[in-house]
């Protein structure tokens, strides 16, 4: 029984001592990023978000390749993991601060929507996501990636320089 308890304590220690440190230790380098070609659904999402912002009296946002790289890496990560999350957000944010001159970075994620309109409408109808869409930003980009089952994973990152 004592060995089992020691094993449990050791396992908890290792879990808590390693699982939360990876995000702060990961350093993305400019030469390690991927900027994929923009898909039609991603263009439609960006157009719908800008139309929404303009309708609210806000500035349209410019796309940014470095933002795109971070959105892509996260959508791809979620699709491969089969899980929607904001995992490693601070790594993405730090990369954009250090390489794109960002002062503010935020993101919206989504899963399973089948059209640009459906994902943008879901973000508009969610208080937290809508706040991000209406924020004081200069740039944004989006990535939509499918997993092996054909389900879409979306990451929309907003940035202010």
């Amino acid at each position: 029984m004592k060995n089992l308890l020691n094993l449990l304590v050791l396992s908890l220690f290792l879990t808590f001592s390693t699982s939360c440190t990876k995000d702060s230790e990961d350093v993305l380098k400019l030469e390690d990023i991927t900027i994929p070609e923009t898909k039609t659904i991603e263009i439609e999402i960006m157009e719908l978000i800008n139309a929404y912002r303009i309708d609210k009296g806000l500035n349209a946002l410019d796309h940014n390749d470095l933002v795109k790289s971070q959105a892509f890496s996260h959508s791809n990560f979620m699709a491969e993991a089969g899980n929607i999350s904001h995992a490693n957000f601070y790594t993405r944010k730090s990369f954009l601060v250090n390489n794109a001159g960002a002062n503010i970075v935020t993101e919206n994620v989504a899963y399973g929507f089948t059209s640009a309109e459906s994902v943008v409408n879901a973000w508009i109808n969610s208080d937290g996501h809508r706040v991000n869409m209406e924020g004081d930003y200069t740039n944004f980009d989006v990535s939509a990636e499918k997993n092996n089952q054909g389900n879409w994973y979306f990451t929309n990152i907003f940035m202010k320089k």
Side-chain angles (χ1 to χ4, degrees):
M1 181 70 174
K2 185 176 180 181
N3 285 340
L4 181 60
L5 183 58
N6 286 340
L7 185 59
L8 179 61
V9 169
L10 178 61
S11 132
L12 288 172
F13 172 77
L14 289 174
T15 299
F16 289 114
S17 68
T18 60
S19 66
C20 295
T21 59
K22 185 171 177 28
D23 193 47
S24 61
E25 292 175 2
D26 281 348
V27 177
L28 295 173
K29 296 180 181 141
L30 206 48
E31 60 270 15
D32 295 334
I33 66 167
T34 300
I35 304 169
E37 284 191 42
T38 303
K39 297 173 187 71
T40 301
I41 192 170
E42 295 165 342
I43 293 168
E44 292 170 352
I45 291 169
M46 290 188 292
E47 288 173 348
L48 288 167
I49 290 172
N50 269 338
Y52 174 82
R53 288 178 59 85
I54 290 167
D55 188 55
K56 296 291 182 191
L58 302 168
N59 62 303
L61 303 175
D62 294 323
H63 84 90
N64 180 288
D65 283 343
L66 293 179
V67 173
K68 173 69 170 187
S69 75
Q70 298 310 291
F72 167 72
S73 69
H74 189 57
S75 290
N76 195 49
F77 167 79
M78 291 189 301
E80 288 178 0
N83 187 29
I84 187 170
S85 72
H86 291 283
N88 303 312
F89 170 73
Y90 292 102
T91 301
R92 291 186 292 287
K93 178 181 178 182
S94 177
F95 176 86
L96 292 170
V97 167
N98 293 325
N99 294 286
N103 293 311
I104 300 170
V105 178
T106 191
E107 73 181 12
N108 289 340
V109 296
Y111 158 78
F113 295 94
T114 58
S115 70
E117 294 83 8
S118 63
V119 71
V120 171
N121 285 335
W123 285 333
I124 290 169
N125 291 316
S126 164
D127 291 340
H129 295 101
R130 186 175 56 253
V131 165
N132 287 345
M133 287 177 58
E134 295 175 358
D136 181 20
Y137 305 110
T138 54
N139 303 89
F140 75 141
D141 224 303
V142 66
S143 174
E145 299 301 320
K146 282 186 177 181
N147 67 4
N148 292 335
Q149 293 75 39
N151 298 313
W152 286 104
Y153 288 80
F154 302 91
T155 304
N156 180 205
I157 298 178
F158 299 91
M159 172 180 80
K160 181 175 182 176
K161 287 186 178 188

